Amino acid sequence: TSQTWTFQEALAWFYQISDWLRQKKIGEGDIVGIQLHRSVFMPVLMLAILHQNAAFLPIHPEEGPQRLRYLAKNCQLVVYDRTLQTEVIAPAENDLTKESLQEGTSRWKQLCRRAAEDCDRTYPLHALKSQRAYLLYTSGSSGLPKAVQISHYSLMCRLQWMNDTYGNGGVTLQKTVNTFDVSVWELLLAPAYGGCLCLMPQGEEKYTDRIADLTDRWKIQRIHFVPGMLEALVRDLEQSG
C-alpha cells in the first residue's frame, strides 16, 4: 500500500516531530541517530532535526549490534521505527504529555491549520554555516569507523547546485540506502524546493523491474544510479522490449 502526503500534511508532522524532539531536550550541537526503514517520515524527521540546530546521523536499519553500539554512543537520541510508532505516531494513552496524532483529532486539525498558514512562508536559517548538519561514518574496515561531518553550508550548496542544474519540476525517486551520502539530496531536494518526492519501498531498490515500474507510474524525472545498476536497468528494458 502507498501513502501520500501533501505539503500541508508533511508540515503538520514536522511540527509534531519538532515538538517531540524539544521534549527530548534535543538542541544545538546534539546528534540524533536515524535508524528507520525508508518511509515518508524520514525526510520530515531530518528537517525537524535540522530545525533544532542539531545534526542527524543515518544508521542502517539492519545495522549489526557492535557497530550500532559504537555509533549510538555519540548520539543524544536514536530514533528507530518502534520509537516513532509508539512515541510520536501513537503515544501511550497514559502519557499525558503527548497526544495521539490521528486524522480528525483536535491536535491534528490544529497542526493542519498552522501548516496551512505557514506553507507560503520562508524562514531564515539560524544555524551557522560551519555548524554540522549531519554525519556519516566510514565502514571501519581499516580500524574503528571514522566520522565525516558535513556542514549546513555544504548541504545548502549541494542542494542549490542540484536545483540550479537539474531543476525541481516533476518527481524525484529516493532509492539509495540512507547511510550513503547520495540519499541526503534524494530525500531533501524535493521538500526544500517545493518538488514531489517518491520513496521506493524498502528493499525494492535492488530490482530493475520495480524501478522501471515506479518510474513509469509516477513519471519520475530524477533518479541517481551507480553505473552498474544503470547498465542492468537498460539491459533489462531492452530485453523486455
Side-chain angles (χ1 to χ4, degrees):
T1 59
S2 61
Q3 186 177 12
T4 303
W5 279 358
T6 64
F7 268 90
Q8 181 178 335
E9 290 167 329
L11 196 53
W13 277 109
F14 167 83
Y15 291 138
Q16 173 78 351
I17 295 174
S18 295
D19 290 345
W20 178 73
L21 290 170
R22 280 192 290 271
Q23 291 169 11
K24 295 291 185 180
K25 309 300 184 185
I26 296 300
E28 184 174 345
D30 289 336
I31 301 172
V32 180
I34 301 178
Q35 191 183 24
L36 299 176
H37 288 88
R38 190 179 294 116
S39 75
V40 290
F41 289 101
M42 189 176 290
V44 177
L45 174 60
M46 293 163 66
L47 291 170
I49 292 169
L50 294 176
H51 188 254
Q52 300 301 117
N53 282 341
F56 60 85
L57 168 62
I59 301 174
H60 196 283
E62 299 173 6
E63 192 63 82
Q66 183 175 354
R67 180 178 169 88
L68 176 58
R69 284 193 296 270
Y70 183 82
L71 299 181
K73 72 178 183 179
N74 294 318
C75 298
Q76 281 65 50
L77 175 69
V78 175
V79 181
Y80 53 97
D81 284 314
R82 187 177 175 187
T83 305
L84 201 65
Q85 289 289 334
T86 58
E87 294 195 28
V88 180
I89 300 175
E93 291 181 2
N94 61 354
D95 189 344
L96 300 179
T97 64
K98 306 181 185 73
E99 180 183 345
S100 179
L101 186 61
Q102 303 293 339
E103 290 189 25
T105 64
S106 59
R107 173 65 172 163
W108 175 256
K109 292 177 181 178
Q110 175 189 356
L111 289 173
C112 279
R113 284 196 297 271
R114 180 179 170 188
E117 293 171 356
D118 285 357
C119 267
D120 294 327
R121 298 180 185 175
T122 57
Y123 295 90
L125 182 64
H126 298 294
L128 296 174
K129 288 183 177 181
S130 59
Q131 185 173 318
R132 65 189 176 195
Y134 66 99
L135 300 88
L136 294 173
Y137 273 81
T138 61
S139 64
S141 57
S142 59
L144 291 176
K146 299 175 180 63
V148 178
Q149 302 187 79
I150 294 83
S151 68
H152 278 268
Y153 184 69
S154 296
L155 175 58
M156 287 189 296
C157 285
R158 176 59 191 261
L159 295 179
Q160 185 66 56
W161 173 80
M162 292 287 298
N163 188 65
D164 291 344
T165 304
Y166 300 106
N168 199 33
V171 186
T172 299
L173 180 66
Q174 202 289 310
K175 67 179 185 63
T176 306
V177 177
N178 69 329
T179 49
F180 286 90
D181 202 28
V182 169
S183 68
V184 177
W185 78 256
E186 286 182 339
L187 286 159
L188 296 184
L189 180 65
Y193 291 94
C196 182
L197 175 64
C198 176
L199 294 106
M200 193 150 202
Q202 187 74 29
E204 293 191 2
E205 69 276 0
K206 304 172 185 177
Y207 304 104
T208 57
D209 60 328
R210 294 296 297 126
I211 295 174
D213 177 64
L214 274 180
T215 301
D216 181 62
R217 190 193 320 168
W218 294 103
K219 310 304 179 187
I220 304 294
Q221 295 187 1
R222 272 169 303 282
I223 314 175
H224 175 87
F225 285 103
V226 295
M229 191 63 177
L230 181 58
E231 290 174 2
L233 176 66
V234 172
R235 182 179 61 250
D236 291 348
L237 288 174
E238 290 175 344
Q239 291 177 352
S240 63

